[in-house]
Amino acid sequence: MKAGRKPQQALTDKERVLMQMLWENGPMFVREMVDIYPEPKPHFNTVSTIIRILEEKGHVSHEVIGTSHRYYAVSRKEDFRKRSLAQVVSDYFNNSYKNAVSALVEEEKISVDELKEIIDIIESKNTKS
């Protein structure tokens, strides 16, 4: 990782696709990434450039195998999930998780039963503390 780079930088959409591939499939060569990349498939050089940017950002590393590089995720998916959710709540819901959940209810993306399950989980954690 280059000096001054923050390993917690947000991902672009194309970077997110490649990270998802690495999280789901483990170490991969660029050619393998191109093969499973959703349509429209980018050029090999494009994927190679994006994966090197991810490496510069500190999210990916590689091992040398023969004359090629096999890349693997260094950053954990869970870390991105937490940051991404917090960013969405901050940007679109006035930093209120209550507003975010209310929007899910209004758009019928979450059911009353699911909300009850969430409440049960929260209450269970609170009684263990």
Side-chain angles (χ1 to χ4, degrees):
M1 181 168 53
K2 290 185 177 180
R5 292 271 190 168
K6 295 180 182 177
Q8 303 301 329
Q9 292 176 357
L11 298 177
T12 66
D13 290 340
K14 291 179 180 179
E15 290 172 342
R16 194 172 300 113
V17 169
L18 295 182
M19 288 301 299
Q20 194 68 37
M21 285 181 195
L22 293 173
W23 288 324
E24 290 175 3
N25 300 294
M28 298 179 76
F29 295 99
V30 171
R31 174 65 55 212
E32 294 171 315
M33 291 180 224
V34 172
D35 289 344
I36 67 170
Y37 202 99
E39 294 291 340
K41 291 185 185 294
H43 189 272
F44 178 94
N45 291 343
T46 301
V47 174
S48 183
T49 298
I50 295 167
I51 204 76
R52 284 194 312 265
I53 290 168
L54 284 167
E55 192 167 28
E56 286 178 17
K57 288 182 175 183
H59 300 305
V60 169
S61 191
H62 72 271
E63 60 182 332
V64 177
I65 298 183
T67 60
S68 192
H69 293 86
R70 185 165 64 175
Y71 295 91
Y72 57 92
V74 174
S75 296
R76 297 179 327 136
K77 185 176 185 175
E78 295 78 23
D79 296 333
F80 279 98
R81 186 187 72 224
K82 290 175 189 174
R83 270 197 322 280
S84 297
L85 180 59
Q87 192 66 49
V88 167
V89 170
S90 172
D91 290 349
Y92 300 104
F93 299 100
N94 200 28
N95 214 26
S96 167
Y97 284 86
K98 177 182 162 190
N99 290 346
V101 172
S102 294
L104 292 171
V105 171
E106 287 173 22
E107 296 174 17
E108 299 180 1
K109 303 289 184 191
I110 191 168
S111 70
V112 172
D113 288 339
E114 290 170 319
L115 284 172
K116 288 178 182 177
E117 286 179 39
I118 293 168
I119 291 168
D120 290 344
I121 291 168
I122 293 167
E123 287 176 343
S124 171
K125 286 186 178 183
N126 286 339
T127 59
K128 290 180 183 177
S129 298

